Amino acid sequence: MVLSLDRLNKIRSIDTVANTMVAEAGCILGNLRRAAEEKHRLLPLSLAAEDSCQIGGNLATNAGGVNVVRYGMARELVLGIEAVLPNGEIYHGLRTLRKDNTGYDLKQLFIGSEGTLGVITAAALRLYARNDARCVVLAAVEDPASALKLFEFLFGVCGGRLQAFEYFTGACVDLVLEQVDGVQDPFPQRYPGYVLVELADTVDIEALNSQVEVAIGGSLEQGLCVDAVVSTSLAQLQSLWRLREEISEAQRADGPHLKHDVSIPIERIPDFMLAMETKLHKMEAGVRPYIFGHFGDGNLHYNVSRPVGADKSWSTTAGKALTTEVLNEVLRFGGSISAEHGIGQLKREDFLETKDPLELRLMLEIKKVFDPASIMNPGKLL
Amino acid sequence: MVLSLDRLNKIRSIDTVANTMVAEAGCILGNLRRAAEEKHRLLPLSLAAEDSCQIGGNLATNAGGVNVVRYGMARELVLGIEAVLPNGEIYHGLRTLRKDNTGYDLKQLFIGSEGTLGVITAAALRLYARNDARCVVLAAVEDPASALKLFEFLFGVCGGRLQAFEYFTGACVDLVLEQVDGVQDPFPQRYPGYVLVELADTVDIEALNSQVEVAIGGSLEQGLCVDAVVSTSLAQLQSLWRLREEISEAQRADGPHLKHDVSIPIERIPDFMLAMETKLHKMEAGVRPYIFGHFGDGNLHYNVSRPVGADKSWSTTAGKALTTEVLNEVLRFGGSISAEHGIGQLKREDFLETKDPLELRLMLEIKKVFDPASIMNPGKLL
């Protein structure tokens, strides 16, 4: 059974004083973002699927995306929720209050519960000031450790302006240039790694640009990056983003592959990447890891493509053992086997096997409180 | 029985790459703030009691404070929690990950649960970039509606720099000047209301000051405020803050009074204030409301002092009916009877009477999952 909320598609209110938006669950995320923008406000949740995904699903899965480093996950944008429980009762939690310390924060349970406790029908979301000044830097780095130092330095100087800090390997750039038309590499040579940084502010693009110039100058001087391009127009900004955004498309064009959406304690990413790559190549020579993701959140899309010449069935046969290895290594590094994509059916077995038994027991008992007959989204998550 | 966590007072780690701090529950908030500052980072939770309160208590009550408009409540600063359950089991949720979508977010239940589910023993907190540039504006406004418009305007222009937006009435200023030594009123006359705005940025105090000057110039021009002072030194900044911070002390010196920590949907504050004052004066002539608070969060400390000449026992006798009236009016306006102070014993009866029955039932059942024998903090909250 599939439940469609397509017709719950009304924006009930946008308030530029309280900075809130109340929207029904079936609203398309991109439409909500544009509606906020028209009122000079920002709904910061932004991800590749924003013009097809619905806000109800975004909240049920606690979506992430490219601006998490500044604005947090979907969870952090929620002030209130309306949901229908399995017995038909309505949870009337659609409050827009910023502060409400009256008991347990029940809405938090629905967020990220993947539809296992009830159906979210509407949400009150937090809006931010619109950023009319944007600047993107593409920096070439020697290795992930330099990328980390660059992050530390830029965060200290630019603070809240830093709204994306994405990392990808040179191999990703090669693949994008090979598989996707019209993408340009702004550098004359290939580097081991790249960092795409977006900075944004409410007003004054000149002040932002000059701050970025000083910060990048300092980074180059300290050897945190080895080359850098700063966007000077919106077209160039978008062109730089394409190098990052087309990686998934390039991998798709290259054929079936293993996807791992994992997170690692940020400071341990370089060690993880080194250890993981060594292990992969020991397990199977020629496998091609394409590593990219939201570095500033410790979130890597650690994808692995088949060796050149291997059969397309590889990802569902020989490759499967690699997935187990990747997830186990993530756990050894204190990470999470699902950073922003959730558990669903695909990771359910891994989840049930690896989650702390106490946490699992508490989750199952909470599930019983909301859904004693266990009719909500069976076979997913729990 | 009182449980002291005084000796759980170690900071386990501060990480300026991942921007996290792991601290034991008995750490004094002010010490944590200073430890972060030394590492050029900011722990944004800030409140009057910060040099005596402990972080464990701050999280168990989901504390608020003066910077919520920018950084959110205590809840939003928490990445992970370690807690002991009533049966002695340990919840090992002390993760520093920014993204971890693996099941229900159990830590959210402990935050704000007032010790009724378990005892928080340590927490992983999120750090921000340190703001070395600070600027405070004291603006005089005609009425709360103007204060709202000023908030909307400044938020749009200054965005994330806006880190406090406090409101207080002219009566509060009179009381502070009367009861507290050494506080200065920077204006030549009394105004109906005042807004204290703090703006802060990582670097470049000159850029911040000139932005503030332009913004305040625009506000005066549009009539959103009628007079304004901008701090030009740290001493003046602190002196302006005293006008706001000494209100509680001034009320204490004036004698016993009724305290109400409530929140209202921000856009309805002016209507609420008008309706409430009319009701109060109808109920008892001469009562003195002193209204101040975190306007940008919709959070008012709607305190009421006895009529001049009334007996000091007033707040525990005749005044009690006023409390009921204030809380009922708050609920009629869609607000919360406890914005940042929680329920505890004092508001327990009001809470149990007014909370939505479904929410109350879910809370009681969740309580049973964690604490089946109901031994945790009996008589509080639930």
Side-chain angles (χ1 to χ4, degrees):
Chain A
M1 201 179 86
V2 172
L3 187 68
S4 165
L5 299 185
D6 279 0
R7 288 165 64 195
L8 284 176
N9 62 0
K10 301 274 176 309
I11 296 177
R12 294 194 194 158
S13 68
I14 298 179
D15 184 327
T16 57
V17 175
N19 297 309
T20 56
M21 171 189 276
V22 177
E24 295 178 351
C27 291
I28 303 290
L29 174 58
N31 293 343
L32 299 183
R33 283 175 52 83
R34 283 181 286 274
E37 210 171 299
E38 274 169 29
K39 303 272 190 186
H40 291 264
R41 290 293 181 265
L42 170 73
L43 177 66
L45 189 64
S46 177
L47 36 93
E50 64 191 45
D51 282 320
S52 57
C53 64
Q54 296 176 353
I55 190 69
N58 296 146
L59 301 187
T61 56
N62 188 28
V66 290
N67 294 338
V68 174
V69 72
R70 178 168 185 175
Y71 296 101
M73 300 285 279
R75 178 184 306 282
E76 283 146 289
L77 305 175
V78 180
L79 295 168
I81 267 182
E82 178 190 89
V84 179
L85 299 190
N87 66 359
E89 281 183 291
I90 297 175
Y91 164 65
H92 293 289
L94 205 55
R95 289 177 279 264
T96 57
L97 301 173
R98 301 276 159 164
K99 292 181 167 182
D100 178 20
N101 275 347
T102 56
Y104 311 151
D105 193 351
L106 297 171
K107 70 172 178 289
Q108 303 291 349
L109 287 171
F110 292 101
I111 303 168
S113 67
E114 305 188 17
T116 59
L117 300 179
V119 177
I120 295 172
T121 51
L125 303 165
R126 174 191 305 244
L127 301 180
Y128 285 83
R130 196 173 78 181
N131 293 313
D132 287 341
R134 290 171 68 194
C135 181
V136 158
V137 181
L138 184 71
V141 295
E142 290 286 11
D143 49 36
S146 308
L148 269 191
K149 284 188 197 134
L150 182 62
F151 177 64
E152 183 178 20
F153 175 71
L154 291 181
F155 182 78
V157 177
C158 302
R161 288 176 192 84
L162 189 71
Q163 67 177 21
F165 193 94
E166 303 283 308
Y167 175 85
F168 42 98
T169 60
C172 292
V173 172
D174 282 331
L175 192 69
V176 167
L177 296 177
E178 184 188 310
Q179 298 286 353
V180 184
D181 284 343
V183 180
Q184 266 149 29
D185 176 4
F187 298 119
Q189 65 168 104
R190 175 70 54 256
Y191 290 103
Y194 298 86
V195 168
L196 186 142
V197 189
E198 178 162 333
L199 299 114
D201 206 336
T202 43
V203 285
D204 205 346
I205 180 75
E206 274 142 44
L208 181 68
N209 282 341
S210 77
Q211 193 191 38
V212 170
E213 259 172 50
V214 171
I216 293 301
S219 306
L220 284 163
E221 219 166 86
Q222 294 172 59
L224 309 182
C225 56
V226 289
D227 203 348
V229 194
V230 181
S231 68
T232 52
S233 67
L234 186 63
Q236 201 190 358
L237 183 154
Q238 287 164 337
S239 159
L240 291 174
W241 260 113
R242 283 198 72 198
L243 269 172
R244 160 66 183 88
E245 280 171 341
E246 298 288 359
I247 299 171
S248 296
E249 182 50 37
Q251 260 204 310
R252 219 181 337 255
D254 179 68
H257 55 277
L258 306 167
K259 286 177 191 292
H260 310 106
D261 164 51
V262 301
S263 74
I264 306 284
I266 303 180
E267 69 284 8
R268 305 192 69 188
I269 292 181
D271 290 345
F272 168 80
M273 283 178 63
L274 195 63
M276 195 67 249
E277 192 153 353
T278 310
K279 277 202 177 162
L280 283 184
H281 288 306
K282 240 186 227 166
M283 284 186 75
E284 187 169 352
V287 292
R288 294 171 294 148
Y290 291 108
I291 307 160
F292 59 100
H294 318 298
F295 208 78
D297 314 311
N299 180 188
L300 297 180
H301 297 307
Y302 198 100
N303 293 358
V304 185
S305 291
R306 69 195 190 286
V308 174
D311 192 81
K312 283 199 173 175
S313 64
W314 176 86
S315 63
T316 50
T317 55
K320 282 199 85 174
L322 291 188
T323 288
T324 307
E325 200 49 41
V326 170
L327 299 186
N328 283 341
E329 193 71 5
V330 164
L331 291 171
R332 271 193 289 272
F333 273 82
S336 168
I337 62 166
S338 182
E340 57 177 14
H341 293 172
I343 300 299
Q345 295 178 294
L346 206 64
K347 286 189 178 171
R348 186 164 171 253
E349 224 171 283
D350 295 313
F351 166 69
L352 294 173
E353 264 171 34
T354 60
K355 196 73 184 171
D356 178 273
L358 170 64
E359 291 185 48
L360 211 48
R361 198 195 77 216
L362 291 170
M363 288 183 200
L364 284 165
E365 292 187 21
I366 288 167
K367 162 86 171 165
K368 258 188 233 158
V369 168
F370 287 78
D371 181 22
S374 204
I375 60 170
M376 299 304 296
N377 221 3
K380 315 298 185 319
L381 185 56
L382 288 168
Chain B
M1 200 178 88
V2 173
L3 187 68
S4 165
L5 300 186
D6 279 1
R7 288 165 63 193
L8 284 176
N9 62 0
K10 302 273 177 306
I11 297 177
R12 294 195 195 157
S13 69
I14 299 179
D15 184 327
T16 57
V17 175
N19 297 310
T20 56
M21 170 189 277
V22 177
E24 294 177 352
C27 291
I28 302 290
L29 174 59
N31 294 342
L32 299 183
R33 284 175 52 83
R34 281 181 287 273
E37 210 172 301
E38 274 170 28
K39 303 271 189 186
H40 291 266
R41 289 294 180 266
L42 169 74
L43 177 65
L45 189 64
S46 177
L47 36 93
E50 65 191 46
D51 281 322
S52 57
C53 64
Q54 296 176 352
I55 190 68
N58 295 146
L59 301 187
T61 56
N62 188 26
V66 291
N67 293 339
V68 173
V69 72
R70 178 168 185 176
Y71 296 101
M73 300 284 279
R75 177 184 306 281
E76 282 145 289
L77 306 175
V78 181
L79 295 168
I81 267 182
E82 178 190 88
V84 179
L85 300 190
N87 67 359
E89 281 183 293
I90 296 175
Y91 164 65
H92 292 289
L94 205 55
R95 288 178 280 265
T96 57
L97 302 172
R98 302 275 159 166
K99 292 182 169 181
D100 179 19
N101 274 347
T102 56
Y104 310 151
D105 193 350
L106 296 170
K107 69 171 179 289
Q108 303 291 348
L109 287 171
F110 292 101
I111 303 167
S113 67
E114 305 188 18
T116 58
L117 300 179
V119 176
I120 295 171
T121 52
L125 303 166
R126 175 190 303 244
L127 300 180
Y128 286 83
R130 196 173 79 181
N131 294 312
D132 288 340
R134 290 172 68 195
C135 180
V136 159
V137 180
L138 185 70
V141 295
E142 291 286 11
D143 49 36
S146 308
L148 269 192
K149 284 188 198 135
L150 182 62
F151 177 65
E152 184 179 20
F153 176 71
L154 290 180
F155 182 78
V157 178
C158 303
R161 290 174 191 85
L162 190 72
Q163 68 177 22
F165 193 94
E166 303 283 309
Y167 175 85
F168 42 98
T169 59
C172 292
V173 174
D174 282 331
L175 192 69
V176 168
L177 296 177
E178 183 189 311
Q179 298 285 354
V180 185
D181 284 344
V183 181
Q184 265 149 30
D185 176 4
F187 298 119
Q189 65 169 103
R190 177 70 54 255
Y191 289 103
Y194 298 86
V195 168
L196 187 144
V197 188
E198 178 162 333
L199 301 115
D201 206 336
T202 42
V203 284
D204 205 346
I205 180 75
E206 275 142 44
L208 181 68
N209 282 342
S210 77
Q211 193 190 39
V212 170
E213 258 170 52
V214 172
I216 293 300
S219 306
L220 284 163
E221 219 165 86
Q222 294 173 60
L224 310 182
C225 57
V226 288
D227 203 349
V229 193
V230 180
S231 68
T232 53
S233 68
L234 186 64
Q236 201 191 359
L237 183 153
Q238 287 164 337
S239 159
L240 291 174
W241 260 112
R242 284 199 71 198
L243 271 172
R244 160 66 182 85
E245 279 172 342
E246 297 288 0
I247 299 171
S248 296
E249 181 50 37
Q251 261 205 308
R252 221 184 332 261
D254 179 67
H257 56 277
L258 306 168
K259 285 177 192 292
H260 310 107
D261 164 52
V262 300
S263 73
I264 305 286
I266 304 180
E267 70 283 9
R268 303 192 70 187
I269 292 180
D271 289 345
F272 169 80
M273 284 177 62
L274 195 64
M276 195 67 250
E277 191 154 355
T278 311
K279 277 203 177 161
L280 283 183
H281 288 305
K282 241 186 223 165
M283 284 186 75
E284 188 169 352
V287 292
R288 293 171 296 147
Y290 290 108
I291 306 160
F292 59 101
H294 318 297
F295 208 78
D297 315 310
N299 181 189
L300 297 180
H301 298 307
Y302 199 99
N303 293 357
V304 185
S305 291
R306 68 194 190 287
V308 176
D311 191 81
K312 283 200 174 178
S313 65
W314 177 85
S315 63
T316 49
T317 55
K320 284 199 86 174
L322 291 188
T323 288
T324 307
E325 199 51 41
V326 170
L327 299 186
N328 284 341
E329 193 71 4
V330 164
L331 292 172
R332 271 193 290 271
F333 273 82
S336 168
I337 62 167
S338 182
E340 57 177 14
H341 292 173
I343 300 299
Q345 294 178 295
L346 206 64
K347 286 189 178 170
R348 185 164 172 253
E349 222 170 285
D350 295 314
F351 166 69
L352 294 174
E353 264 171 33
T354 60
K355 196 73 184 171
D356 178 274
L358 171 63
E359 291 185 46
L360 210 49
R361 197 195 78 217
L362 291 169
M363 288 183 199
L364 285 164
E365 292 187 22
I366 288 167
K367 162 87 172 165
K368 258 189 232 159
V369 168
F370 287 79
D371 181 23
S374 204
I375 60 171
M376 298 304 295
N377 221 4
K380 314 297 184 321
L381 186 55
L382 288 168

